[in-house]
Amino acid sequence: MNKNKTKITIVGGGSTWTPGILKALTRYKESLSLKELVLFDTNAERQKHIGEFGKLLFKEVCPEVVFKYTTDKEEAYRDVDYIFCQIRTGGYPMRELDEKIPLEEGVVGQETCGAGGFAYGIRSLKDMIEMVKDIRNFSKDAWILNYTNPAAIVAYGLTKEFKDDKRILNICDQPINMLVSMAKILGGDAQTLVPEYFGLNHFGWFTKLYNREGKDLLPELKEKILEHGFAPKDAEQRDKSWLDTYALVEDMVRDFPEYVPSTYVQYYLYPEYKTSKLDPTFTRANEVMNGREKRVFSECDDAVAQGTTLGHNVVHNDAHGEMIVEIADTIHNNKEKTYIVMVENNGIIPNLPEDAIVEVACVLGNRGAVPFHVGEIDTFYKGLLENQYAYERLTVEAFFEGSYTKALQALTLNRTIVDAKKARRILDRLIEANKGYWPELK
Ligand code: NAD
Ligand code: G6P
Ligand code: MN
């Protein structure tokens, strides 16, 4: 790694999240000493929209940075310092099935939770393992910052496959999305808030929220949520399904007033209610394909046709792009800033298994993520998280061992399913739908 000549590659360059990352990179280019930026994708057609937009943006804003987009692994991975990874194996057509098959069987159909997350997890693992091997073939010290979902399953699987690799960091933007939303409700700046948080990815709780003076604002926040509800910071840009999802935080705080949960906890606490509110003929995948995807690609194309990126709004969530770029900057310059990310438990929460991948506050720097101790958690949370850990672990083992029995155990344990006969019906349909993506389960 040459600290003064940084090369960054975004894997999944054709994602609609890429423009937000590009925008954040233009702001951090000096701090990161950015010399070369490469977008890599296996789908050239898809990546071209974003690639051409990025080329124009970098020509306009930072012509000194070499910008490329490619489908060539060597060009993407050779001598790279930071990989930002966000791939979706099977694309949106498979996300649609992940959401619809469980809903048709009467249980939660969601991208990362329940049976949908299970199907997606097994698909992601194969490509993610191949990707890490490819990267290590060309760049053994590159930092791999991974957003690919379901991050909990991906993180557990990668940790098992690459035991000694200390430069893979799995991250999720939802804690930051929630923090900026909380700051808006409290009338302050998210940068001034110091959270305490524990859980697994997409299954966690804010337990404290300190301001600069050291006062815990969580009690005040909970009161405000109970009085006025909970909404994302960028509510006017969000589709209805996300507004409904944020709104349910109020119910969770009313039922379990101790902490403020991640929005994702609702799929496990209210599986019947969630299922009743989701439409098996039109899911989030359809909403994204009809909305965000069309909007971002056509805005990119328009900008390229007009020869300028000015006046084209292609970013749909600033916090997402900023998080991954800030984390790279924090590692690069050893800034030791605190982020909520995924790490192996190893006693952070002593009454959860050592090898669980927990999501907690960590100081980030050139040593990677150094977690803050959490301590023992209470029975309710321990029960929920142990159950989810067992589900995640069995999912990963089902993948590595090609085990039908472990897959069935995983789905049966999942709180969104519970019934083993239902789990078997869903599993058999998912096996059929994922032919060519999954290993054979025997
Ligand atoms: P998308 O399908 O729009 O984009 C993913 C891109 O990856 C596509 O262009 C696809 O062609 C490409 N791709 C697929 N397999 C690949 C491979 N093996 N190598 C290289 N490129 C490959 O999906 P999206 O909605 O933009 O999401 C991308 C990923 O980011 C998903 O896994 C999503 O769940 C995840 N995500 C995670 C977070 C988080 O908080 N962790 C936030 C947002 C998105
Ligand atoms: C949040 C989560 C991500 C998830 C994304 C889905 O940001 O943290 O893990 O991928 O939402 O958003 P979408 O708009 O694609 O449903
Ligand atoms: Mn996430």
Side-chain angles (χ1 to χ4, degrees), residues 108-119:
V108 167
Q110 210 278 333
E111 177 195 26
T112 63
C113 303
F118 167 88

Side-chain angles (χ1 to χ4, degrees), residues 103-145:
L103 282 172
E104 283 164 12
E105 297 296 334
V107 301
V108 167
Q110 210 278 333
E111 177 195 26
T112 63
C113 303
F118 167 88
Y120 186 19
I122 297 186
R123 283 201 309 281
S124 292
L125 281 170
K126 177 169 167 282
D127 278 8
M128 286 300 295
I129 289 170
E130 185 185 316
M131 186 201 73
V132 173
K133 285 183 179 161
D134 287 337
I135 294 167
R136 289 293 174 248
N137 192 18
F138 293 114
S139 291
K140 62 179 189 4
D141 295 328
W143 279 96
I144 300 173
L145 309 183

Side-chain angles (χ1 to χ4, degrees), residues 16-242:
T16 53
W17 298 95
T18 301
I21 300 177
L22 297 181
K23 198 175 134 195
L25 278 169
T26 63
R27 282 198 299 276
Y28 281 83
K29 62 176 174 168
E30 268 122 29
S31 186
L32 278 164
S33 305
L34 186 61
K35 284 287 168 298
E36 187 177 348
L37 177 60
V38 183
L39 307 192
F40 171 75
D41 204 292
T42 44
N43 184 335
E45 193 56 37
R46 208 185 153 82
Q47 180 168 249
K48 193 161 181 250
H49 302 276
I50 315 276
E52 284 298 314
F53 172 85
K55 211 154 116 186
L56 184 60
L57 176 71
F58 273 72
K59 194 174 100 192
E60 284 182 325
V61 185
C62 25
E64 71 282 13
V65 176
V66 177
F67 180 94
K68 296 177 190 159
Y69 64 95
T70 183
T71 54
D72 182 69
K73 283 181 183 171
E74 180 162 1
E75 197 174 3
Y77 299 150
R78 181 163 302 280
D79 300 328
V80 69
D81 301 295
Y82 299 92
I83 296 275
F84 298 172
C85 174
Q86 40 165 7
I87 64 172
R88 184 184 290 284
T89 303
Y92 269 81
M94 288 308 292
R95 176 175 183 175
E96 197 178 348
L97 291 178
D98 292 342
E99 293 166 348
K100 289 185 176 175
I101 291 173
L103 282 172
E104 283 164 12
E105 297 296 334
V107 301
V108 167
Q110 210 278 333
E111 177 195 26
T112 63
C113 303
F118 167 88
Y120 186 19
I122 297 186
R123 283 201 309 281
S124 292
L125 281 170
K126 177 169 167 282
D127 278 8
M128 286 300 295
I129 289 170
E130 185 185 316
M131 186 201 73
V132 173
K133 285 183 179 161
D134 287 337
I135 294 167
R136 289 293 174 248
N137 192 18
F138 293 114
S139 291
K140 62 179 189 4
D141 295 328
W143 279 96
I144 300 173
L145 309 183
N146 177 52
Y147 264 141
T148 302
N149 268 322
I153 306 277
V154 168
Y156 190 81
L158 292 184
T159 308
K160 294 292 165 199
E161 179 73 18
F162 304 101
K163 287 190 187 63
D164 301 321
D165 197 321
K166 301 294 172 220
R167 290 198 166 188
I168 305 174
L169 185 64
N170 295 285
I171 64 174
C172 165
D173 62 11
Q174 199 58 3
I176 288 265
N177 290 335
M178 291 200 65
L179 259 181
V180 294
S181 307
M182 292 172 183
K184 188 175 176 190
I185 290 170
L186 290 166
D189 178 358
Q191 299 283 345
T192 65
L193 296 174
V194 179
E196 287 187 6
Y197 181 98
F198 74 85
L200 306 175
N201 175 239
H202 288 189
F203 208 143
W205 291 265
F206 288 87
T207 58
K208 299 267 193 244
L209 195 58
Y210 294 109
N211 68 6
R212 284 243 163 94
E213 289 70 47
K215 182 178 173 209
D216 179 14
L217 301 182
L218 206 75
E220 185 185 332
L221 175 71
K222 285 189 289 192
E223 263 172 44
K224 291 203 155 135
I225 291 173
L226 292 177
E227 251 176 71
H228 309 293
F230 191 61
K233 183 190 175 206
D234 53 349
E236 45 315 307
Q237 287 185 51
R238 294 277 185 150
D239 291 323
K240 183 172 178 305
S241 65
W242 266 117

Side-chain angles (χ1 to χ4, degrees), residues 280-353:
T281 67
F282 191 86
T283 61
R284 178 69 188 143
N286 301 109
E287 208 174 34
V288 174
M289 286 188 278
N290 292 344
R292 177 167 82 220
E293 200 165 272
K294 288 206 169 93
R295 212 167 47 239
V296 171
F297 286 157
S298 77
E299 276 289 316
C300 285
D301 294 347
D302 287 353
V304 172
Q306 289 164 19
T308 179
T309 62
L310 289 174
H312 292 278
N313 184 17
V314 293
V315 179
H316 51 89
N317 176 350
D318 284 311
H320 176 87
E322 270 161 27
M323 181 178 180
I324 197 161
V325 173
E326 275 182 25
I327 285 182
D329 181 54
T330 302
I331 293 172
H332 197 69
N333 295 300
N334 198 23
K335 285 191 171 165
E336 308 223 321
K337 280 167 59 181
T338 301
Y339 290 88
I340 295 168
V341 297
M342 282 159 252
V343 284
E344 204 167 10
N345 183 25
N346 288 331
I348 302 165
I349 304 171
N351 57 346
L352 283 186

